[in-house]
Amino acid sequence: MSDPVRVAVTGAAGQIAYSLLFPIASGQVFGPGRRVILQLLEITPVMSALEGTVMELHDCAFPLVDDIITTDKPEVAFRDVNWALLVGSKPRTKGQERKDLIRDNGPIFVGQGKALASVAAPDLRVLVVGNPCNTNCLIARANAQKVPSDRWFAMTRLDHNRAIAQLSQKTGVPAREIRNVIIWGNHSSTLYADVSHATVGGKPAREVVGDDAWIAGEFLKTVRQRGAQIIEARGKSSAASAAVAAMDHVRSFLEPAPKRQWTSAAVVSDGSYDIPEGLIASFPVRSTGKGWEIVQGLELDDAARAGIKSSIDELLEERETVSDLLG
């Protein structure tokens, strides 16, 4: 068997991690023959809760788990890791402005970025899940300059999955037969969900849906506001669906994508589609197995251009808010 993959998970006692750790340990993410070492980071006050999760992991007797390390120190959690799943972040409180949340979380990701640059494995890949994930990723990356830019991701796969689910429910076509939706921009209420290049059952999505008003209205609104809808319905934020999206993201970058298919991920912009270089923005992205590439040459209609611009403007404002944390 190959060497184990070392996977760091932050916020490891939280709801998302609880839905994430067991599938990783069982082989559902890195493969049924790939051993794993879990390196779990939490803040000191909830280390006892994390130990409860670890007890359950041990009680599952997963044959692929070589070791489970728990710590409240980033330098320990990130040592020699191949994948860092940065799930933990301070949640938004009632009445709190988004910019204040960004400022609260910023120092956390400064420290984590520095620790990753110092002790992680040379093949490190980082997925930021904790919100606001795009700008948290920007901060961590700015404080880990030795880690190549193509190793950084913020998660918009949950938005991507939500868009597929809405198309599936609208058309009655199973999610597995829906391809190439795109999430552009920020993981926030300004994201732009684009179906212009999507297919449903092999046919153009707009043709199958047959309702442009729904696409521009209810569809886009639902994808943007789904998280708030879930909080309203269950009294808690998305957890299981976020964990599944994180697993989907990782798997999407472990193997080459099928021809002419892509996923959505927030990556370091290279200037494609006039999105400023260096921003962490969501694009259509295709895995090559050894790396990844932004899908090029897609035509954007006026609605897409306007939607993307609005989301990028928000990201630029967020970057200005944390400019002092970017080194």
Side-chain angles (χ1 to χ4, degrees):
M1 298 177 71
S2 59
D3 291 336
V5 57
R6 289 180 175 266
V7 184
V9 178
T10 72
Q15 288 192 89
I16 295 174
Y18 191 81
S19 295
L20 179 61
L21 291 171
F22 295 87
I24 291 175
S26 71
Q28 293 180 48
V29 178
F30 294 96
R34 190 73 189 272
R35 293 147 48 212
V36 296
I37 295 174
L38 297 174
Q39 302 185 192
L40 309 182
L41 179 66
E42 256 302 354
I43 58 174
T44 306
V46 295
M47 286 297 291
S48 60
L50 176 58
E51 287 306 315
T53 300
V54 171
M55 290 179 195
E56 287 200 77
L57 285 164
H58 283 310
D59 289 349
C60 292
F62 289 117
L64 294 174
V65 175
D66 279 13
D67 196 8
I68 302 173
I69 297 164
T70 62
T71 181
D72 58 1
K73 297 176 175 59
E75 295 79 8
V76 175
F78 297 150
R79 183 163 298 280
D80 298 325
V81 296
N82 311 106
W83 274 90
L85 308 181
L86 307 187
V87 177
S89 64
K90 184 177 179 180
R92 190 171 181 171
T93 57
K94 186 176 181 179
Q96 186 179 34
E97 296 290 334
R98 184 177 175 88
K99 65 179 180 180
D100 295 327
L101 177 65
I102 292 169
R103 290 299 310 180
D104 283 350
N105 276 304
I108 297 171
F109 289 86
V110 169
Q112 291 185 359
K114 290 179 178 178
L116 285 165
S118 176
V119 300
D123 65 347
L124 169 71
R125 295 184 185 184
V126 184
L127 173 63
V128 179
V129 177
N131 286 319
C133 62
N134 293 56
T135 297
N136 288 341
C137 185
L138 182 78
I139 294 167
R141 185 215 169 204
N143 288 276
Q145 288 294 322
K146 66 179 288 187
V147 180
S149 62
D150 64 346
R151 309 295 181 78
W152 296 93
F153 308 94
M155 192 175 80
T156 54
R157 181 59 182 260
L158 179 54
D159 308 302
H160 182 97
N161 288 353
R162 286 168 170 167
I164 290 173
Q166 291 305 304
L167 288 173
S168 176
Q169 290 178 310
K170 178 69 172 179
T171 63
V173 176
R176 64 180 177 272
E177 296 183 26
I178 298 174
R179 305 274 189 273
N180 292 353
V181 299
I182 304 170
I183 303 299
W184 297 97
N186 199 3
H187 173 64
S188 76
S189 61
T190 69
L191 66 81
Y192 187 72
D194 186 358
V195 302
S196 298
H197 306 277
T199 60
V200 175
K203 299 177 181 179
R206 286 188 182 276
E207 176 185 314
V208 177
V209 171
D211 188 346
D212 284 350
W214 177 84
I215 291 172
E218 184 180 344
F219 166 77
L220 182 56
K221 179 180 178 181
T222 298
V223 177
R224 286 173 166 172
Q225 298 183 1
R226 190 64 160 184
Q229 292 173 353
I230 290 170
I231 292 172
E232 180 67 24
R234 70 186 295 263
K236 297 179 181 179
S237 59
S238 309
S241 57
V244 169
M247 292 186 283
D248 287 344
H249 175 103
V250 172
R251 285 192 295 257
S252 291
F253 286 87
L254 293 177
E255 299 291 340
K259 191 174 182 180
R260 293 186 293 278
Q261 292 184 29
W262 58 74
T263 186
S264 299
V267 298
V268 180
S269 175
D270 61 359
S272 294
Y273 299 99
D274 297 323
I275 294 175
E277 290 188 38
L279 278 186
I280 306 292
S282 189
F283 291 88
V285 175
R286 179 188 293 116
S287 172
T288 65
K290 296 181 179 179
W292 56 266
E293 59 190 10
I294 294 173
V295 178
Q296 298 293 337
L298 300 178
E299 293 186 9
L300 302 177
D301 59 23
D302 290 343
R305 291 185 183 279
I308 293 168
K309 183 181 185 304
S310 176
S311 200
I312 296 306
D313 286 347
E314 182 181 55
L315 283 172
L316 290 170
E317 290 177 8
E318 291 183 7
R319 184 175 69 178
E320 181 61 28
T321 297
V322 299
S323 58
D324 61 311
L325 303 178
L326 301 180

